Amino acid sequence: MTGIIRALSVMALMLALAGCGGSGVEWHAKNIRGLMPDLEFTLTAPDGEPFTAEDRAGQVRLLFFGFTNCPDICPATMARLQNAVKQMPQDMRDEVTLLFVSVDPERDTPERVGEYVDFFGDNIVGLTSDEETLRTLAKRYRTTFGYGKPDENGDYDVSHSNAVYVFDGQGRARLLIRSDQSISQISEDLETLVRQGRD
Amino acid sequence: MSWYHYLLPYDFSPLTLIAFVVVLTMYLQGLYALPAEERPGALRVFTFLLGLLLCYTVMHTRFDYYSQYMFFIHRGQHLVLHHLGPLLLVLSNPLPIMRFWARQIPGWLGPVLWPVKMAYRVLQQPLIAATLFVGLIYLWLTPELHFDAMLSRPLYWLMNWSMLLDGLLFWWLILDPRSPHTERVLGYGKRIILLVLIIPPQSALGAWILFSDSMVYDVYEVCGRAWPLAPETDQMLGGILTWIPPAMMSGIAILIVVGRMMRDDRNSAKTQQADEAGEVHA
């Protein structure tokens, strides 16, 4: 019963918040404001140093999970996001950071993740950590990942979420970009978010 | 992963743990405190504990992980929380234990509990109860809300708890162990009508999910599945679980109610005969 009361009050609070924040913006992506916790993590950057959500505070951040051996989803997502950023007005592009988190620490060392993301552009940070830390982060954003059986070469598939989580400058969860969104739709959403941050 | 990891909660919820521990403790304590002739028998105690264990397992062990990342397992989870678990808990007839604890409520708490009592009475109006029972299934399976519930932790827990509590309310109304001949509880005919009424809407929803060409619940795509099962297969299994077992549960419950009705009739016939015989002798 107490669980219900707590959950009900949380829902009431969420409704109230949604009421206050009703800016009337029509998003192309799924609005997840109030549904998910703020951006918070400590992972390892390519230089081996710890990297936290604070390191790019103030920026609109796009978080997504993948692995460098990923055959299709990851490179395609990365390219789509990069193109979306390129379609934004020049002075806004620097206010967006992509956070690529490899969930395959067995093969992906921090350096390797760094080399991989450098190939796509310089506003991407490649991150990883030990499996336990990654599982905690994935769970925080209610997603999961798993490993397939290795073939004779030791190669294996990694199942992971295909969604991109978008956080605003203050680290609040704002949008969930699904795989069926066009580049210009993503771009428009990001522009609106950056603009909101400036107001 | 070691075996005991499967017993640990995937998403630890202190309130859920407390709720189950409190219920279990109160049940066992009541059982112990009752005089032997009022105490439920071994089969009833077993039924109660089984129902409780089932609900706990699907909510607060590794099972919950699979429920979050596989649609058909989520449907199985709700089948236990809304149908099977509450049905077992109610069938065990915990009335003596509940009466024991009701006697422990101090008098000054009466007025405080009054709103709860009123809410209970309203929710147990037959048509409200049946609408709520089916309505909650529809509500949480609304694609938009289902997506949110799977993304938001508070909403997810609200969903599961609301299903369990509503299941308890509905099955208590249907399988109330007290006889309508002697107490003010719902008549057997009305119980059967409710059980029949709830079948078509549940079947329709299950069939709709089963025969949908497109993916109705794409959150499992977005968040990743627990293992690589074809999305169509997942949705199909989920549809079947929403459709067939609930209809079967209604069928089983109807048999139980009919059984009780016949036993009640026999009993009242016997007392009547005994009364008449008594009159003749007198």
Side-chain angles (χ1 to χ4, degrees), chain B residues 4 107 114 170 185 203 246 255 268:
Chain B
Y4 64 86
W114 188 80
F170 182 78
V185 293
S203 303
L255 289 179
S268 55

PDB file of all heavy atoms in Angstrom, chain B residues 4 107 114 170 185 203 246 255 268:
ATOM      1  N   TYR B   4      22.244 -17.886  -6.906  1.00  0.00           N
ATOM      2  CA  TYR B   4      21.487 -17.033  -5.973  1.00  0.00           C
ATOM      3  C   TYR B   4      21.178 -15.666  -6.576  1.00  0.00           C
ATOM      4  O   TYR B   4      20.301 -14.944  -6.109  1.00  0.00           O
ATOM      5  CB  TYR B   4      22.209 -16.895  -4.619  1.00  0.00           C
ATOM      6  CG  TYR B   4      23.545 -16.210  -4.681  1.00  0.00           C
ATOM      7  CD1 TYR B   4      23.631 -14.815  -4.625  1.00  0.00           C
ATOM      8  CD2 TYR B   4      24.722 -16.944  -4.784  1.00  0.00           C
ATOM      9  CE1 TYR B   4      24.860 -14.180  -4.676  1.00  0.00           C
ATOM     10  CE2 TYR B   4      25.939 -16.313  -4.839  1.00  0.00           C
ATOM     11  CZ  TYR B   4      26.011 -14.933  -4.792  1.00  0.00           C
ATOM     12  OH  TYR B   4      27.222 -14.319  -4.862  1.00  0.00           O
ATOM     13  N   GLY B 107      -9.701   1.228  18.937  1.00  0.00           N
ATOM     14  CA  GLY B 107     -10.911   1.962  18.619  1.00  0.00           C
ATOM     15  C   GLY B 107     -10.664   3.330  17.998  1.00  0.00           C
ATOM     16  O   GLY B 107     -11.376   3.736  17.075  1.00  0.00           O
ATOM     17  N   TRP B 114     -12.043   5.137   8.209  1.00  0.00           N
ATOM     18  CA  TRP B 114     -13.329   5.282   7.563  1.00  0.00           C
ATOM     19  C   TRP B 114     -13.226   5.552   6.054  1.00  0.00           C
ATOM     20  O   TRP B 114     -13.903   4.876   5.271  1.00  0.00           O
ATOM     21  CB  TRP B 114     -14.130   6.384   8.260  1.00  0.00           C
ATOM     22  CG  TRP B 114     -15.530   6.470   7.777  1.00  0.00           C
ATOM     23  CD1 TRP B 114     -16.576   5.677   8.138  1.00  0.00           C
ATOM     24  CD2 TRP B 114     -16.042   7.383   6.806  1.00  0.00           C
ATOM     25  NE1 TRP B 114     -17.703   6.038   7.464  1.00  0.00           N
ATOM     26  CE2 TRP B 114     -17.407   7.089   6.630  1.00  0.00           C
ATOM     27  CE3 TRP B 114     -15.482   8.432   6.058  1.00  0.00           C
ATOM     28  CZ2 TRP B 114     -18.221   7.803   5.749  1.00  0.00           C
ATOM     29  CZ3 TRP B 114     -16.286   9.133   5.184  1.00  0.00           C
ATOM     30  CH2 TRP B 114     -17.640   8.818   5.034  1.00  0.00           C
ATOM     31  N   PHE B 170     -10.662  -7.834  -6.899  1.00  0.00           N
ATOM     32  CA  PHE B 170     -11.612  -8.496  -7.782  1.00  0.00           C
ATOM     33  C   PHE B 170     -11.834  -9.945  -7.365  1.00  0.00           C
ATOM     34  O   PHE B 170     -12.970 -10.396  -7.235  1.00  0.00           O
ATOM     35  CB  PHE B 170     -11.132  -8.430  -9.233  1.00  0.00           C
ATOM     36  CG  PHE B 170     -12.110  -9.060 -10.191  1.00  0.00           C
ATOM     37  CD1 PHE B 170     -13.246  -8.385 -10.574  1.00  0.00           C
ATOM     38  CD2 PHE B 170     -11.895 -10.347 -10.686  1.00  0.00           C
ATOM     39  CE1 PHE B 170     -14.164  -8.957 -11.441  1.00  0.00           C
ATOM     40  CE2 PHE B 170     -12.805 -10.938 -11.560  1.00  0.00           C
ATOM     41  CZ  PHE B 170     -13.942 -10.242 -11.934  1.00  0.00           C
ATOM     42  N   VAL B 185     -22.807 -10.524   1.162  1.00  0.00           N
ATOM     43  CA  VAL B 185     -21.755 -10.546   0.127  1.00  0.00           C
ATOM     44  C   VAL B 185     -22.446 -10.800  -1.206  1.00  0.00           C
ATOM     45  O   VAL B 185     -23.625 -11.145  -1.247  1.00  0.00           O
ATOM     46  CB  VAL B 185     -20.686 -11.630   0.409  1.00  0.00           C
ATOM     47  CG1 VAL B 185     -19.899 -11.281   1.655  1.00  0.00           C
ATOM     48  CG2 VAL B 185     -21.308 -13.008   0.527  1.00  0.00           C
ATOM     49  N   SER B 203     -10.256 -11.187 -24.171  1.00  0.00           N
ATOM     50  CA  SER B 203      -9.941 -11.973 -25.362  1.00  0.00           C
ATOM     51  C   SER B 203      -9.725 -11.057 -26.557  1.00  0.00           C
ATOM     52  O   SER B 203      -8.813 -11.258 -27.359  1.00  0.00           O
ATOM     53  CB  SER B 203     -11.067 -12.946 -25.668  1.00  0.00           C
ATOM     54  OG  SER B 203     -11.295 -13.764 -24.548  1.00  0.00           O
ATOM     55  N   PRO B 246      -6.369 -15.931 -19.162  1.00  0.00           N
ATOM     56  CA  PRO B 246      -7.396 -15.231 -18.385  1.00  0.00           C
ATOM     57  C   PRO B 246      -8.787 -15.824 -18.608  1.00  0.00           C
ATOM     58  O   PRO B 246      -9.583 -15.920 -17.669  1.00  0.00           O
ATOM     59  CB  PRO B 246      -7.335 -13.797 -18.916  1.00  0.00           C
ATOM     60  CG  PRO B 246      -5.956 -13.644 -19.420  1.00  0.00           C
ATOM     61  CD  PRO B 246      -5.607 -14.988 -20.010  1.00  0.00           C
ATOM     62  N   LEU B 255     -16.440 -22.587 -12.146  1.00  0.00           N
ATOM     63  CA  LEU B 255     -16.622 -23.933 -11.575  1.00  0.00           C
ATOM     64  C   LEU B 255     -16.590 -23.880 -10.046  1.00  0.00           C
ATOM     65  O   LEU B 255     -17.411 -24.516  -9.378  1.00  0.00           O
ATOM     66  CB  LEU B 255     -15.525 -24.879 -12.085  1.00  0.00           C
ATOM     67  CG  LEU B 255     -15.629 -25.291 -13.558  1.00  0.00           C
ATOM     68  CD1 LEU B 255     -14.486 -26.208 -13.936  1.00  0.00           C
ATOM     69  CD2 LEU B 255     -16.979 -25.977 -13.819  1.00  0.00           C
ATOM     70  N   SER B 268     -28.416 -25.860   3.038  1.00  0.00           N
ATOM     71  CA  SER B 268     -29.655 -25.223   3.506  1.00  0.00           C
ATOM     72  C   SER B 268     -30.813 -26.217   3.413  1.00  0.00           C
ATOM     73  O   SER B 268     -31.719 -26.184   4.245  1.00  0.00           O
ATOM     74  CB  SER B 268     -29.948 -23.944   2.716  1.00  0.00           C
ATOM     75  OG  SER B 268     -29.987 -24.218   1.341  1.00  0.00           O
TER      76      SER B 268
END
